[in-house]
Coordinates of all heavy atoms in Angstrom, one line a residue:
Chain A
F19 N -54.5 220.4 -49.0 CA -54.6 221.0 -47.7 C -54.6 222.6 -47.8 O -55.4 223.2 -47.1 CB -53.5 220.5 -46.8 CG -53.4 220.9 -45.5 CD1 -53.8 219.9 -44.6 CD2 -53.1 222.1 -44.9 CE1 -53.8 220.0 -43.2 CE2 -53.3 222.3 -43.6 CZ -53.6 221.4 -42.6
S25 N -58.1 223.3 -43.1 CA -58.1 221.9 -43.4 C -57.5 221.0 -42.2 O -56.8 221.6 -41.4 CB -57.3 221.5 -44.7 OG -57.4 222.6 -45.6
K26 N -57.7 219.7 -42.3 CA -57.2 218.8 -41.3 C -56.8 217.7 -42.0 O -57.5 217.1 -42.8 CB -58.1 218.6 -40.1 CG -57.8 219.6 -39.0 CD -58.3 219.0 -37.7 CE -57.7 219.5 -36.4 NZ -57.4 220.8 -36.3
W27 N -55.5 217.0 -41.6 CA -55.2 215.7 -42.1 C -56.1 214.7 -41.2 O -56.5 214.9 -40.2 CB -53.8 215.3 -41.6 CG -52.7 216.4 -42.1 CD1 -51.9 217.1 -41.3 CD2 -52.4 216.7 -43.4 NE1 -51.2 217.9 -42.1 CE2 -51.3 217.8 -43.4 CE3 -52.9 216.3 -44.7 CZ2 -50.8 218.2 -44.6 CZ3 -52.3 216.8 -45.9 CH2 -51.4 217.9 -45.8
L28 N -56.5 213.7 -42.1 CA -57.3 212.6 -41.4 C -56.5 211.2 -41.6 O -56.1 211.0 -42.7 CB -58.7 212.3 -42.3 CG -59.6 211.2 -41.8 CD1 -60.1 211.5 -40.4 CD2 -60.6 211.0 -42.8
A29 N -56.1 210.8 -40.5 CA -55.5 209.4 -40.5 C -56.5 208.3 -40.1 O -57.5 208.1 -40.9 CB -54.4 209.5 -39.5
G30 N -56.5 207.7 -38.9 CA -57.4 206.7 -38.6 C -58.8 207.2 -38.2 O -59.8 206.6 -38.2
G31 N -58.9 208.6 -37.8 CA -60.1 209.2 -37.4 C -60.5 208.9 -36.0 O -61.6 209.2 -35.7
M32 N -59.9 208.1 -35.4 CA -60.3 207.6 -34.1 C -60.5 208.8 -33.1 O -61.2 208.8 -32.0 CB -59.4 206.7 -33.4 CG -59.4 205.3 -34.2 SD -61.0 204.4 -33.9 CE -61.8 205.0 -35.4
T33 N -59.7 209.9 -33.2 CA -59.8 211.1 -32.4 C -60.6 212.2 -33.0 O -61.5 212.7 -32.5 CB -58.4 211.5 -32.0 OG1 -57.9 210.6 -31.1 CG2 -58.5 212.8 -31.1
L34 N -60.2 212.4 -34.3 CA -60.8 213.5 -35.2 C -62.3 213.4 -35.3 O -63.0 214.3 -35.1 CB -60.1 213.7 -36.4 CG -60.3 214.8 -37.2 CD1 -60.3 216.1 -36.4 CD2 -59.3 214.9 -38.4
I35 N -62.7 212.1 -35.8 CA -64.2 211.9 -36.2 C -64.9 212.2 -34.9 O -66.0 212.9 -34.9 CB -64.4 210.7 -36.8 CG1 -63.5 210.5 -38.0 CG2 -65.7 210.4 -37.1 CD1 -63.8 211.4 -39.2
P36 N -64.6 211.4 -33.7 CA -65.6 211.7 -32.6 C -65.6 213.3 -32.1 O -66.6 213.7 -31.9 CB -64.9 211.0 -31.4 CG -64.1 209.9 -32.1 CD -63.6 210.4 -33.5
S37 N -64.4 214.0 -32.3 CA -64.4 215.3 -31.9 C -65.3 216.1 -32.8 O -66.0 217.1 -32.5 CB -63.0 215.9 -31.8 OG -62.5 216.2 -32.9
N43 N -64.8 220.2 -33.2 CA -63.9 220.4 -34.3 C -64.6 220.5 -35.5 O -65.6 219.9 -35.8 CB -63.0 219.1 -34.2 CG -61.5 219.4 -34.4 OD1 -61.3 220.3 -35.2 ND2 -60.7 218.7 -33.9
L48 N -61.3 217.8 -44.9 CA -60.5 216.6 -44.4 C -59.7 216.0 -45.6 O -60.1 215.8 -46.6 CB -61.4 215.6 -43.9 CG -62.1 215.7 -42.6 CD1 -62.8 214.5 -42.2 CD2 -61.1 216.2 -41.4
I49 N -58.4 215.9 -45.3 CA -57.4 215.4 -46.3 C -57.1 214.0 -45.7 O -56.2 213.8 -44.9 CB -56.2 216.2 -46.4 CG1 -56.5 217.8 -46.5 CG2 -55.4 215.7 -47.7 CD1 -57.4 218.2 -47.7
L51 N -55.3 210.6 -45.5 CA -54.0 210.2 -45.9 C -54.0 208.7 -46.1 O -52.9 208.1 -46.4 CB -53.0 210.5 -44.7 CG -53.0 211.9 -44.2 CD1 -52.1 212.1 -43.0 CD2 -52.5 212.8 -45.4
L57 N -46.7 206.7 -46.8 CA -46.8 206.9 -45.2 C -47.0 205.6 -44.6 O -47.2 205.5 -43.3 CB -48.0 207.9 -45.0 CG -48.0 209.2 -45.7 CD1 -49.2 209.9 -45.3 CD2 -46.8 209.9 -45.2
G70 N -43.9 204.0 -40.7 CA -44.7 205.1 -41.4 C -45.7 205.6 -40.6 O -46.4 204.7 -39.9
A71 N -46.1 206.9 -40.9 CA -47.1 207.5 -40.0 C -48.5 207.0 -40.2 O -49.1 206.8 -39.1 CB -47.2 209.0 -40.5
M72 N -48.8 206.3 -41.2 CA -50.1 205.7 -41.3 C -50.2 204.2 -40.9 O -51.2 203.5 -41.3 CB -50.6 205.9 -42.8 CG -51.1 207.3 -43.2 SD -52.6 207.8 -42.0 CE -53.7 206.9 -42.8
T73 N -49.2 203.8 -40.2 CA -49.1 202.5 -39.8 C -50.0 202.3 -38.6 O -50.0 203.0 -37.7 CB -47.7 202.0 -39.4 OG1 -46.9 202.3 -40.5 CG2 -47.8 200.5 -39.1
I74 N -51.1 201.3 -38.8 CA -52.0 201.3 -37.7 C -51.4 200.4 -36.4 O -50.5 199.7 -36.5 CB -53.4 200.4 -38.1 CG1 -53.1 199.0 -38.6 CG2 -54.1 201.3 -39.1 CD1 -54.3 198.3 -39.0
H75 N -52.0 200.7 -35.3 CA -51.4 200.1 -34.0 C -51.5 198.6 -34.1 O -50.4 197.9 -33.7 CB -52.4 200.5 -32.8 CG -52.7 201.9 -32.8 ND1 -51.8 203.0 -33.1 CD2 -53.7 202.6 -32.2 CE1 -52.4 204.1 -32.8 NE2 -53.5 204.0 -32.3
L94 N -46.5 198.0 -26.4 CA -47.3 199.3 -26.1 C -48.5 199.4 -27.1 O -49.6 199.7 -26.8 CB -46.3 200.5 -26.4 CG -46.9 201.9 -26.4 CD1 -45.8 202.9 -25.8 CD2 -47.4 202.5 -27.6
A95 N -48.2 199.2 -28.4 CA -49.2 199.2 -29.4 C -50.3 198.2 -29.2 O -51.5 198.5 -29.4 CB -48.5 199.0 -30.8
G97 N -51.5 197.4 -26.3 CA -52.4 197.8 -25.3 C -53.1 199.1 -25.5 O -53.8 199.7 -24.6
I98 N -53.2 199.6 -26.7 CA -53.9 200.8 -27.0 C -55.4 200.5 -27.3 O -55.6 199.5 -28.0 CB -53.4 201.5 -28.3 CG1 -51.9 202.0 -27.9 CG2 -54.2 202.7 -28.6 CD1 -51.2 202.6 -29.2
G99 N -56.2 201.2 -26.6 CA -57.7 201.0 -26.8 C -58.2 199.4 -26.9 O -57.8 198.7 -26.2
D100 N -59.0 199.3 -27.9 CA -59.7 198.0 -28.1 C -59.3 197.6 -29.7 O -58.7 198.4 -30.4 CB -61.1 198.1 -28.0 CG -61.7 199.4 -28.7 OD1 -61.4 199.6 -29.9 OD2 -62.5 200.1 -28.0
Q102 N -61.0 197.5 -32.5 CA -61.5 198.4 -33.4 C -60.5 199.6 -33.5 O -60.1 200.0 -34.7 CB -62.9 198.9 -33.0 CG -64.1 197.9 -33.2 CD -64.2 197.0 -32.0 OE1 -63.3 196.9 -31.1 NE2 -65.4 196.5 -31.9
V103 N -60.2 200.2 -32.4 CA -59.2 201.3 -32.4 C -57.8 200.9 -32.9 O -57.3 201.8 -33.7 CB -59.1 201.8 -30.9 CG1 -58.0 202.9 -30.7 CG2 -60.5 202.4 -30.5
R104 N -57.3 199.8 -32.6 CA -56.1 199.4 -33.0 C -56.1 199.0 -34.5 O -55.0 199.2 -35.2 CB -55.6 198.1 -32.3 CG -55.3 198.3 -30.6 CD -54.5 197.3 -30.1 NE -55.4 196.2 -30.0 CZ -55.9 195.9 -28.9 NH1 -56.2 196.8 -27.9 NH2 -56.6 194.8 -28.7
R106 N -57.8 200.9 -36.6 CA -57.9 202.1 -37.4 C -56.9 203.2 -37.1 O -56.4 203.9 -37.8 CB -59.3 202.9 -37.1 CG -60.5 202.1 -37.5 CD -60.7 202.2 -39.0 NE -60.7 203.6 -39.5 CZ -60.8 203.9 -40.8 NH1 -60.9 202.9 -41.7 NH2 -60.7 205.2 -41.1
G107 N -56.6 203.3 -35.7 CA -55.8 204.4 -35.1 C -54.3 204.2 -35.8 O -53.9 203.1 -35.8
T108 N -53.6 205.2 -35.9 CA -52.2 205.2 -36.4 C -51.2 205.9 -35.6 O -51.6 206.8 -34.8 CB -52.2 206.0 -37.8 OG1 -52.4 207.4 -37.6 CG2 -53.2 205.5 -38.8
I109 N -50.0 205.5 -35.7 CA -48.9 206.1 -34.9 C -48.8 207.5 -35.3 O -48.7 208.3 -34.3 CB -47.6 205.3 -35.2 CG1 -46.5 205.8 -34.2 CG2 -47.0 205.4 -36.7 CD1 -45.3 204.9 -34.0
G110 N -48.8 208.1 -36.5 CA -48.7 209.3 -36.9 C -49.9 210.1 -36.3 O -49.6 211.2 -35.7
G111 N -51.1 209.7 -36.4 CA -52.2 210.4 -35.8 C -52.1 210.5 -34.2 O -52.4 211.6 -33.7
S112 N -51.5 209.5 -33.6 CA -51.5 209.4 -32.2 C -50.4 210.6 -31.7 O -50.7 211.4 -30.9 CB -51.0 208.2 -31.7 OG -50.9 208.2 -30.2
I113 N -49.4 210.5 -32.4 CA -48.2 211.5 -32.0 C -48.6 212.9 -32.4 O -48.4 213.9 -31.6 CB -46.9 211.1 -32.7 CG1 -46.6 209.8 -32.2 CG2 -45.8 212.1 -32.5 CD1 -45.5 209.2 -33.1
A114 N -49.3 213.1 -33.6 CA -49.7 214.5 -34.0 C -50.6 215.0 -33.0 O -50.7 216.2 -32.6 CB -50.2 214.6 -35.4
N115 N -51.6 214.1 -32.5 CA -52.6 214.6 -31.6 C -51.9 215.0 -30.1 O -52.4 215.9 -29.6 CB -53.6 213.5 -31.4 CG -54.9 213.9 -30.8 OD1 -55.5 215.0 -31.1 ND2 -55.2 213.1 -29.8
N116 N -51.0 214.2 -29.8 CA -50.3 214.5 -28.6 C -51.3 214.6 -27.4 O -51.2 215.5 -26.6 CB -49.4 215.8 -28.6 CG -48.6 215.9 -27.4 OD1 -48.3 214.8 -26.7 ND2 -48.0 217.0 -27.1
D117 N -52.1 213.7 -27.4 CA -53.0 213.4 -26.1 C -52.1 213.3 -24.9 O -51.3 212.4 -24.9 CB -53.9 212.3 -26.4 CG -55.0 212.2 -25.4 OD1 -54.7 212.3 -24.1 OD2 -56.2 212.0 -25.6
A119 N -52.6 211.7 -22.3 CA -52.7 210.3 -21.7 C -52.5 209.2 -22.9 O -52.6 208.0 -22.5 CB -54.1 210.2 -21.2
A120 N -52.0 209.7 -24.1 CA -51.7 208.6 -25.1 C -50.3 207.9 -24.8 O -49.5 208.4 -24.0 CB -51.7 209.3 -26.4
D121 N -50.2 206.6 -25.4 CA -49.2 205.9 -25.1 C -48.0 206.3 -26.0 O -46.9 206.3 -25.5 CB -49.6 204.4 -25.3 CG -50.7 203.9 -24.4 OD1 -50.5 204.0 -23.2 OD2 -51.6 203.4 -25.0
Y122 N -48.2 206.3 -27.2 CA -46.9 206.5 -28.2 C -46.0 207.7 -27.7 O -44.8 207.5 -27.9 CB -47.6 206.6 -29.5 CG -47.7 205.4 -30.4 CD1 -48.7 205.0 -31.0 CD2 -46.5 204.6 -30.4 CE1 -48.9 203.9 -31.8 CE2 -46.5 203.4 -31.2 CZ -47.8 203.0 -31.8 OH -47.8 201.8 -32.6
P123 N -46.6 208.7 -27.5 CA -45.7 209.9 -27.1 C -44.5 209.5 -26.1 O -43.4 209.9 -26.2 CB -46.5 210.9 -26.4 CG -47.9 210.7 -27.2 CD -48.0 209.2 -27.3
I134 N -39.9 212.3 -38.9 CA -39.7 212.8 -40.4 C -40.8 213.3 -40.9 O -41.9 212.6 -40.9 CB -39.1 211.5 -41.3 CG1 -38.1 210.8 -40.5 CG2 -38.5 212.2 -42.6 CD1 -37.0 211.2 -40.1
T135 N -41.0 214.6 -41.3 CA -42.2 215.3 -41.6 C -42.1 215.5 -43.3 O -41.1 215.4 -43.8 CB -42.4 216.6 -41.0 OG1 -41.6 217.5 -41.4 CG2 -42.2 216.4 -39.5
S136 N -43.1 216.1 -43.8 CA -43.2 216.5 -45.1 C -42.2 217.6 -45.5 O -41.9 218.1 -46.4 CB -44.5 216.9 -45.5 OG -45.1 217.9 -44.6
F145 N -40.1 217.9 -30.4 CA -41.4 217.6 -31.1 C -42.7 218.0 -30.1 O -43.6 218.7 -30.7 CB -41.5 216.1 -31.4 CG -42.8 215.9 -32.3 CD1 -42.8 216.4 -33.7 CD2 -43.9 215.3 -31.8 CE1 -44.0 216.2 -34.4 CE2 -45.1 215.2 -32.5 CZ -45.1 215.4 -33.9
T152 N -47.9 220.3 -30.7 CA -46.6 219.8 -31.2 C -46.0 221.1 -32.0 O -46.4 222.0 -32.1 CB -46.8 218.8 -32.3 OG1 -47.4 219.1 -33.4 CG2 -47.6 217.5 -31.6
L154 N -45.2 220.8 -35.2 CA -45.6 220.8 -36.7 C -46.2 222.1 -37.0 O -47.1 222.6 -36.2 CB -46.7 219.7 -36.8 CG -46.1 218.1 -36.7 CD1 -47.5 217.3 -36.8 CD2 -45.1 217.8 -37.7
D155 N -45.8 222.5 -38.3 CA -46.7 223.6 -38.9 C -48.1 223.1 -39.2 O -48.2 221.9 -39.4 CB -46.0 224.0 -40.2 CG -44.7 224.7 -40.0 OD1 -44.4 225.0 -38.7 OD2 -43.9 224.8 -40.7
T156 N -48.9 224.0 -39.4 CA -50.3 223.5 -39.7 C -50.4 222.7 -41.0 O -51.1 221.6 -41.1 CB -51.4 224.6 -39.9 OG1 -50.7 225.7 -40.5 CG2 -51.9 225.1 -38.6
D157 N -49.6 223.0 -42.1 CA -49.7 222.2 -43.2 C -48.6 221.1 -43.4 O -48.4 220.6 -44.4 CB -49.7 223.1 -44.4 CG -48.3 223.8 -44.6 OD1 -47.5 223.9 -43.5 OD2 -48.0 224.3 -45.6
E158 N -47.9 220.9 -42.2 CA -46.8 219.9 -42.3 C -47.4 218.5 -41.8 O -48.3 218.5 -40.8 CB -45.8 220.4 -41.1 CG -44.6 219.4 -41.2 CD -43.5 220.1 -40.3 OE1 -43.9 221.0 -39.5 OE2 -42.3 219.7 -40.3
L159 N -46.9 217.5 -42.4 CA -47.5 216.2 -42.0 C -46.3 215.2 -41.6 O -45.2 215.3 -42.3 CB -48.5 215.7 -43.0 CG -48.0 215.1 -44.4 CD1 -47.7 213.5 -44.2 CD2 -49.3 215.1 -45.3
I160 N -46.7 214.2 -40.8 CA -45.7 213.4 -40.4 C -45.7 212.2 -41.4 O -46.7 211.7 -41.9 CB -45.9 212.7 -39.0 CG1 -46.2 213.8 -37.9 CG2 -45.1 211.6 -38.6 CD1 -46.6 213.2 -36.7
V161 N -44.3 211.9 -41.8 CA -44.2 210.8 -42.9 C -43.8 209.6 -42.2 O -44.5 208.5 -42.4 CB -43.1 211.3 -43.8 CG1 -42.8 210.2 -44.9 CG2 -43.5 212.7 -44.6
K162 N -42.8 209.6 -41.3 CA -42.5 208.4 -40.6 C -41.8 208.8 -39.3 O -41.4 209.9 -39.1 CB -41.7 207.4 -41.4 CG -40.3 208.1 -41.8 CD -39.5 207.0 -42.7 CE -38.3 207.6 -43.2 NZ -37.4 206.6 -44.1
Y173 N -42.3 199.1 -21.7 CA -43.4 200.2 -21.4 C -44.2 199.6 -20.4 O -44.8 198.5 -20.6 CB -44.1 200.5 -22.6 CG -45.3 201.5 -22.5 CD1 -45.1 202.7 -22.1 CD2 -46.6 200.9 -22.7 CE1 -46.1 203.7 -22.0 CE2 -47.7 201.9 -22.5 CZ -47.4 203.2 -22.0 OH -48.4 204.0 -21.9
K175 N -48.0 200.4 -18.3 CA -49.1 201.4 -18.3 C -49.8 201.1 -17.1 O -50.3 200.0 -16.8 CB -49.8 201.3 -19.6 CG -51.3 202.0 -19.7 CD -51.7 202.2 -21.1 CE -53.1 201.8 -21.4 NZ -53.4 202.2 -22.9
A177 N -53.3 201.9 -16.4 CA -54.5 202.2 -17.2 C -55.5 202.8 -16.4 O -55.9 202.4 -15.3 CB -55.0 201.2 -18.1
S181 N -61.4 204.7 -19.1 CA -61.1 205.0 -20.6 C -59.9 204.0 -21.0 O -59.8 203.8 -22.3 CB -60.4 206.4 -20.7 OG -59.3 206.5 -20.2
R182 N -59.1 203.4 -20.2 CA -58.0 202.6 -20.5 C -56.8 203.3 -21.2 O -55.9 202.8 -21.7 CB -58.3 201.4 -21.3 CG -59.6 200.6 -20.8 CD -59.2 199.4 -20.2 NE -60.4 198.9 -19.4 CZ -60.8 197.6 -19.4 NH1 -60.3 196.8 -20.1 NH2 -61.9 197.1 -18.7
Y183 N -56.9 204.7 -21.2 CA -55.7 205.5 -21.5 C -54.9 205.4 -20.3 O -55.3 205.0 -19.3 CB -56.3 206.9 -21.7 CG -56.6 207.3 -23.2 CD1 -57.8 207.1 -23.6 CD2 -55.7 207.8 -24.0 CE1 -58.4 207.3 -25.0 CE2 -56.1 208.3 -25.4 CZ -57.3 207.9 -25.8 OH -57.8 208.3 -27.0
A184 N -53.6 206.0 -20.4 CA -52.7 206.0 -19.3 C -53.0 207.0 -18.3 O -53.3 208.2 -18.6 CB -51.3 206.1 -19.9
T202 N -45.8 209.4 -19.4 CA -47.0 209.9 -20.0 C -48.3 209.8 -19.1 O -48.2 209.0 -18.1 CB -47.3 209.2 -21.4 OG1 -48.4 209.9 -22.1 CG2 -47.8 207.7 -21.3
Chain B
M710 N -65.8 207.5 -21.6 CA -64.4 207.7 -21.3 C -64.1 208.0 -19.8 O -63.1 207.8 -19.2 CB -63.8 208.8 -22.0 CG -63.7 208.6 -23.5 SD -62.7 207.1 -23.8 CE -61.6 207.8 -24.9
R716 N -67.0 196.1 -17.2 CA -66.7 195.4 -18.4 C -66.4 193.9 -18.1 O -66.0 193.7 -17.0 CB -65.6 195.9 -19.2 CG -65.7 197.4 -19.4 CD -64.7 197.8 -20.5 NE -64.5 199.2 -20.3 CZ -63.5 199.8 -21.1 NH1 -62.9 199.1 -22.1 NH2 -63.3 201.1 -21.0
Ligands
FAD801 C1 -62.1 204.1 -27.7 C2 -60.8 204.6 -27.8 C3 -59.8 204.2 -27.0 C4 -58.4 204.7 -27.2 N1 -57.4 204.3 -26.3 C5 -56.3 204.8 -26.5 C6 -55.1 204.3 -25.6 O1 -55.4 203.5 -24.7 N2 -54.0 204.8 -25.8 C7 -53.8 205.7 -26.7 O2 -52.5 206.1 -26.9 N3 -54.6 206.1 -27.6 C8 -55.8 205.6 -27.4 N4 -56.8 206.0 -28.4 C9 -56.4 206.9 -29.6 C10 -56.1 206.1 -30.8 O3 -55.2 205.2 -30.5 C11 -55.5 207.0 -31.9 O4 -54.1 207.0 -31.9 C12 -55.8 208.4 -31.9 O5 -57.0 208.5 -31.9 C13 -55.2 209.2 -33.1 O6 -54.9 208.4 -34.3 P1 -55.8 208.5 -35.5 O7 -55.0 207.7 -36.6 O8 -57.1 208.0 -35.4 O9 -55.7 210.0 -35.8 P2 -57.0 210.9 -36.3 O10 -58.1 211.0 -35.3 O11 -57.2 210.8 -37.8 O12 -56.1 212.3 -36.2 C14 -55.7 212.9 -34.9 C15 -55.0 214.2 -35.2 O13 -53.7 214.0 -35.7 C16 -53.7 214.7 -37.0 N5 -52.9 213.8 -37.9 C17 -53.2 212.5 -38.2 N6 -52.2 212.0 -38.9 C18 -51.3 213.1 -39.2 C19 -50.1 212.9 -39.8 N7 -49.5 212.0 -40.4 N8 -49.3 214.1 -39.8 C20 -49.7 215.2 -39.2 N9 -51.1 215.2 -38.5 C21 -51.8 214.1 -38.6 C22 -55.1 215.0 -37.5 O14 -55.2 216.1 -38.3 C23 -55.7 215.1 -36.1 O15 -55.7 216.4 -35.7 C24 -58.2 205.6 -28.3 C25 -59.2 206.0 -29.1 C26 -60.4 205.7 -29.1 C27 -61.5 206.0 -29.9

Side-chain angles (χ1 to χ4, degrees):
Chain A
F19 192 100
S25 326
K26 266 202 152 43
W27 307 117
L28 174 68
M32 290 291 93
T33 295
L34 186 51
I35 302 289
S37 76
N43 221 322
L48 285 187
I49 318 299
L51 303 177
L57 300 178
M72 284 300 287
T73 311
I74 58 172
H75 308 331
L94 175 150
I98 297 176
D100 47 45
Q102 289 87 337
V103 169
R104 290 195 288 277
R106 292 286 313 174
T108 65
I109 187 169
S112 176
I113 293 166
N115 193 47
N116 191 20
D117 187 315
D121 299 304
Y122 268 129
I134 320 299
T135 75
S136 53
F145 185 75
T152 69
L154 291 171
D155 294 342
T156 36
D157 67 342
E158 185 173 13
L159 72 86
I160 302 173
V161 174
K162 63 179 177 182
Y173 178 67
K175 163 155 142 178
S181 72
R182 312 256 167 130
Y183 273 84
T202 188
Chain B
M710 289 304 232
R716 305 195 204 174

